[in-house]
Amino acid sequence: MLLYYDLHIHSALSPCADDDMTPNNIVNMAKLKGLDLITVSDHNCARNVEAAARVAADAGLLFLPGLEMTTSEEVHVLVFFEEARAAREFGDKLYAELPDIRNQPDFFGNQFILNEKDEVVGTLDKLLISALPYDIDESCALVREYGGYAVPAHINKGANSVLANLGFFPPQLFFKTVETVPGLAIESDISRFEQIHSSDAHNLWQIAERERALEVEIANVRTILQKLCD
C-alpha cells in the first residue's frame, strides 16, 4: 500500500508560517493535492496538533502527530509520536524550556493556537523559533524519554541541519531515516539511511503534491512509525 505524504507542515502556530495555515485549510489542501498522510510540525510546540488530528480524522486523512524541535546547536529535528496528546505534552515540555525571549508578532509573525473550527483560542508569548537548551544528544534522549521518534530535518539545507551546523552525524546517535530536500547537493554519504522528502510548508501552496509515497502493509500510525524509525 502506498501512502502519499507530507510529514513537515507548519501551522499558524509557527511565527514563520502564514496565518491561514489553519487545521481545516491544511487538511483540505492536502486532500485537494491527493495526499493520504500528513504531519503538522510546528517549532518547539504542538498546541495545534490535537485540533489538526481531529480535522484530519473527520476528513479521512491519516495524521502523524509531531513537531520540529531546535537543539542548542540550532539543528532542526522532526519528532513524531503515535498519539496527538503525547506530541502536545512533549511540546509543552519544550515550550517551558525555551529562553524567555518574547515573540514580536509584527516582526516574526503570529503564534496562533487554533481549534478544530479554525478559531483562534490563544497565542503563545515565547518566541518558538528560539533554540532549546538541549544539545542534539540531550534532545534525542528527551525524545526517547517521552516515547517519540526523531528524524533529522532537511539535512542538506545550508542552515539548521545536522550537516550544516555540525558537519557530521554524531556516531553515538541512531537514526533510521533522515529528511532531505530534493535537488540540493548532499556532501556526505547517507546511503545507510532511509530518506523522506517533505515540503517544510509555511503556506498552503507549498504543501507537497502527490509525488512521494511510503510503502506500508497497513495504513496506521504504528506501521508508519515502524517504517520510519524502528
Side-chain angles (χ1 to χ4, degrees), residues 69-180:
M69 68 184 302
T70 305
T71 72
S72 61
E73 305 97 338
E74 298 195 359
V75 172
H76 288 184
V77 179
L78 294 173
V79 183
F80 301 114
F81 290 88
E82 191 163 354
E83 297 181 355
R85 179 179 177 181
R88 191 257 301 158
E89 291 175 349
F90 183 72
D92 287 350
K93 163 69 174 176
L94 299 187
Y95 182 76
E97 298 296 331
L98 282 171
D100 193 20
I101 300 171
R102 297 290 148 172
N103 182 37
Q104 300 177 50
D106 291 341
F107 184 77
F108 295 109
N110 293 307
Q111 297 183 158
F112 287 147
I113 302 171
L114 301 157
N115 64 19
E116 58 267 33
K117 297 179 181 179
D118 291 352
E119 297 167 334
V120 176
V121 295
T123 61
L124 291 178
D125 294 328
K126 288 184 181 180
L127 181 62
L128 292 176
I129 56 175
S130 300
L132 292 157
Y134 309 114
D135 64 24
I136 192 166
D137 292 85
E138 294 166 332
S139 295
C140 290
L142 189 65
V143 169
R144 291 191 298 271
E145 179 185 339
Y146 275 75
Y149 300 82
V151 171
H154 42 63
I155 64 164
N156 52 333
K157 284 184 67 174
N160 301 123
S161 69
V162 169
L163 295 180
N165 291 45
L166 299 183
F168 64 98
F169 288 96
Q172 70 277 15
L173 297 177
F174 170 78
F175 300 110
K176 180 179 179 180
T177 300
V178 295
E179 181 191 46
T180 58

Side-chain angles (χ1 to χ4, degrees), residues 3 21 35 42 45 96 107 165 168 211 219 226 229:
L3 297 176
M21 293 294 278
L35 300 182
D42 286 308
C45 193
F107 184 77
N165 291 45
F168 64 98
E211 295 174 341
Q226 289 174 343
C229 304

